[in-house]
Amino acid sequence: MKTGILTGVGNGIGLSICKNLLKKRYKVIGISKSSNSNIIDLKKKYKNFVFIKLDLSKKKLTETKIQNILTNHKNITFLINNAGIRYRKNSINSNFRTYQKVLDNNFFSAAILSNAYIKYLSYKNFTLKSSIVNITSIVGPRGFADLSNYASSKGALEYFSKSLAVEYAKKNIRVNCVAPGFIKSSYHENFKKNSTLYDWTVNRTPMNRWGEIDEIYPLVEFLLSKGSSYITGNTIYVDGGWTAQ
Ligand SMILES: NC(=O)c1ccc[n+]([C@@H]2O[C@H](COP(=O)([O-])OP(=O)(O)OC[C@H]3O[C@@H](n4cnc5c(N)ncnc54)[C@H](OP(=O)(O)O)[C@@H]3O)[C@@H](O)[C@H]2O)c1
């Protein structure tokens, strides 16, 4: 049984990845800001699920909790940094605090967990073959209006990942990013209310639709598996062709 940590398991893409890994008998230590009925169901249904309630934007608390997790669980071979917030605000109305909030949630959280995890692997002399998967976005590699906060956080995460990949390539650690396009997670229904913006996203996507929530998981599992043993430092898009244009 492979054991690993996955963040943002309460909803959306993280919940889908979590359910699918649990079905395939991975042991998942799932972190999320709050508990909800999805988490309660997962706890009831799967013995191989451990839930940790933690707001990852709280940096000190995150440093302490990740140490506890790494001390209490043996042979952790993967880390999936999925938790994130999205934030629409034009740049001239954004200030230091706005950027700080999005970076705390989307970037520093992943950086703290990744570095603690790599330190844990170093104590094992890097003998465990490990995979870190970071969920980034098409926002960052491509520019979008009103998303400079979000783009900065996802851009930071993507380039952090590439550096880690190179730094630890000889140490049995692979680091990759999965970059979704528009996926029908929790914000899909709300987004649809702005029909002009919604129609633009559909028409601009070569496949002419938003992605399903379960269309992210297969690539994530592949990046954890032996089949991807020579892949590191990459960003792979799951975006219906958006970035190909
Ligand atoms: N959906 C898309 O179209 C899309 C596109 C590109 C990239 N992404 C990225 O994919 C990831 C998942 O997105 P999603 O659409 O599935 O989001 P979602 O439906 O909003 O779910 C996000 C999950 O992460 C948790 N979370 C958020 N901030 C957290 C924090 N500070 N500490 C702990 N848990 C936290 C949330 O917990 P609570 O429910 O308790 O808040 C929730 O369970 C994000 O990183 C997002 O940027 C999504």
Side-chain angles (χ1 to χ4, degrees):
M1 190 194 274
K2 269 192 180 182
T3 301
I5 301 167
L6 164 64
T7 69
V9 292
N11 273 305
I13 294 170
L15 177 63
S16 161
I17 297 171
C18 189
K19 271 186 191 162
N20 281 292
L21 290 179
L22 291 170
K23 274 185 207 156
K24 296 203 171 176
R25 301 193 177 283
Y26 286 77
K27 177 174 172 188
V28 180
I29 302 154
I31 300 176
S32 224
K33 194 158 59 188
S34 44
S35 186
N36 61 20
S37 57
N38 296 324
I39 305 273
I40 293 167
D41 287 350
L42 290 178
K43 283 206 273 195
K44 268 190 203 149
K45 202 162 170 194
Y46 297 100
K47 286 205 170 70
N48 46 336
F49 177 64
V50 177
F51 178 61
I52 311 283
K53 186 167 172 263
L54 168 65
D55 180 349
L56 290 159
S57 69
K58 304 214 169 4
K59 298 192 276 294
K60 282 274 162 226
L61 187 62
T62 299
E63 281 175 344
T64 309
K65 285 251 181 168
I66 186 65
Q67 286 313 328
N68 294 342
I69 294 170
L70 294 168
T71 309
N72 292 333
H73 297 273
K74 288 202 176 75
N75 297 335
I76 297 176
T77 58
F78 65 88
L79 166 66
I80 306 164
N81 288 302
N82 160 78
I85 56 166
R86 60 185 71 77
Y87 199 70
R88 292 189 77 82
K89 203 177 190 74
N90 61 16
S91 65
I92 57 168
N93 288 322
S94 301
N95 57 23
F96 165 74
R97 266 190 219 95
T98 332
Y99 283 95
Q100 186 71 57
K101 181 181 165 193
V102 185
L103 282 159
D104 281 350
N105 273 281
N106 295 0
F107 171 64
F108 288 115
S109 57
I112 290 169
L113 296 189
S114 300
N115 288 338
Y117 177 49
I118 292 172
K119 203 170 261 181
Y120 159 91
L121 295 171
S122 77
Y123 296 146
K124 296 176 183 299
N125 295 320
F126 296 111
T127 48
L128 282 181
K129 283 194 162 75
S130 308
S131 174
I132 300 177
V133 178
N134 292 324
I135 307 297
T136 55
S137 178
I138 57 171
V139 179
R142 296 291 180 277
F144 286 77
D146 300 334
L147 286 171
S148 66
N149 292 278
Y150 183 73
S152 307
S153 70
K154 291 296 184 180
L157 183 56
E158 181 170 344
Y159 292 105
F160 171 74
S161 306
K162 283 190 195 296
S163 296
L164 287 191
V166 171
E167 204 168 319
Y168 296 101
K170 292 193 186 75
K171 308 277 187 192
N172 276 329
I173 307 172
R174 295 180 300 108
V175 188
N176 290 289
C177 294
V178 170
F182 289 89
I183 305 296
K184 290 183 192 165
S185 68
S186 49
Y187 84 125
H188 178 244
E189 285 311 312
N190 245 345
F191 204 100
K192 265 171 116 175
K193 288 178 194 157
N194 182 343
S195 59
T196 313
L197 192 56
Y198 183 73
D199 291 348
W200 174 74
T201 60
V202 173
N203 295 332
R204 170 73 172 68
T205 305
M207 285 191 180
N208 222 239
R209 65 173 177 88
W210 278 41
E212 299 297 330
I213 209 97
D214 286 335
E215 288 183 308
I216 304 298
Y217 157 73
L219 176 59
V220 174
E221 195 196 4
F222 172 67
L223 290 171
L224 304 183
S225 75
K226 269 191 192 158
S228 63
S229 55
Y230 200 50
I231 301 177
T232 196
N234 265 290
T235 297
I236 306 174
Y237 296 98
V238 187
D239 65 354
W242 185 289
T243 45
Q245 295 179 101

